[in-house]
Amino acid sequence: WIEIYNPGSAAVDLGGMFLTDDPAFPNQYEIPAGISAPAGGHVLFWADGKSSGNHSNFKLAGVGEAVALFDRLDRGLGRIDVTFFDPQELDVSWGRYPDGGATWFSIDTPTPGSANRLRPPTFVQVTRTPHWPLASDSVEVTAVISAGQLVSSVTLWVDLGGGFHAVAMSGAMTYSASIPAQAEGALVSY
């Protein structure tokens, strides 16, 4: 399937526009009159070769290819959008996040007809070294994070007795930060 998203505040008439899996052949499938993208909404097209309504006259290749949207002939058939996708995986779609954004992602929770969403980050493992620190030891906290999206920051929240404060963690997939050495018997929460 192919999904068109309208970020605007008014419906957009798609009738007469074109979808194609070959940008060199822009007028491959003409979107029928009467199909519009609602304000802030989505429209689905099935790339199944059936050529009626929301069904295109071409099929998408699982080995990867292109999908493009072109404007109406009376407006010059200009390219509105194009994406090239890699070989497809079962139950994984290719889309922008957030909807209408510039960046394309493999989305492992397909959402045809509704807002794209990525799997939230999860902590795979959190460790501390040394496990039983002495008063003279700083403690390195390491977190391994699995994410279906870009992780912009990871924060370690530490309470040394006066309330929690943020400590930025650094890394990529495996993040770490240090807790400074504390007095003998001090309780540190993180």
Side-chain angles (χ1 to χ4, degrees):
W1 47 271
I2 300 165
E3 180 179 74
I4 295 177
Y5 169 67
N6 173 10
S9 58
V12 173
D13 179 14
L14 300 175
M17 292 183 181
F18 294 90
L19 286 171
T20 183
D21 64 346
D22 182 353
F25 181 44
N27 58 348
Q28 186 171 10
Y29 165 72
E30 184 174 357
I31 299 173
I35 295 178
S36 65
H42 306 82
V43 176
L44 287 179
F45 293 90
W46 301 99
D48 56 10
K50 293 185 179 175
S51 193
S52 66
N54 286 43
H55 295 263
S56 72
N57 58 355
F58 61 88
K59 294 181 180 182
L60 295 178
V63 296
E65 64 176 324
V67 173
L69 174 66
F70 284 84
D71 208 347
R72 295 172 185 68
L73 287 170
D74 63 346
R75 294 197 296 217
L77 199 61
R79 187 178 77 200
I80 295 172
D81 200 4
V82 66
T83 186
F84 297 89
F85 58 90
D86 292 331
Q88 296 298 284
E89 300 174 50
L90 185 63
D91 295 328
V92 175
S93 64
W94 180 246
R96 287 187 166 110
Y97 181 82
D99 288 351
T103 306
W104 291 83
F105 292 92
S106 289
I107 300 174
D108 60 2
T109 305
T111 57
S114 61
N116 292 338
R117 63 178 185 267
L118 301 176
R119 180 175 39 89
T122 56
F123 291 95
V124 177
Q125 181 181 24
V126 177
T127 57
R128 69 175 186 264
T129 306
H131 191 73
W132 296 106
L134 301 173
S136 60
D137 293 334
S138 64
V139 175
E140 186 80 9
V141 176
T142 303
V144 178
I145 298 176
S146 173
Q149 60 190 18
L150 298 175
V151 175
S152 60
S153 67
V154 177
T155 303
L156 173 65
W157 290 92
V158 179
D159 182 358
L160 304 174
F164 281 95
H165 68 278
V167 176
M169 298 182 82
S170 59
M173 290 183 61
T174 300
Y175 297 84
S176 61
S178 290
I179 299 173
Q182 301 297 307
E184 184 74 32
L187 175 65
V188 176
S189 299
Y190 67 94

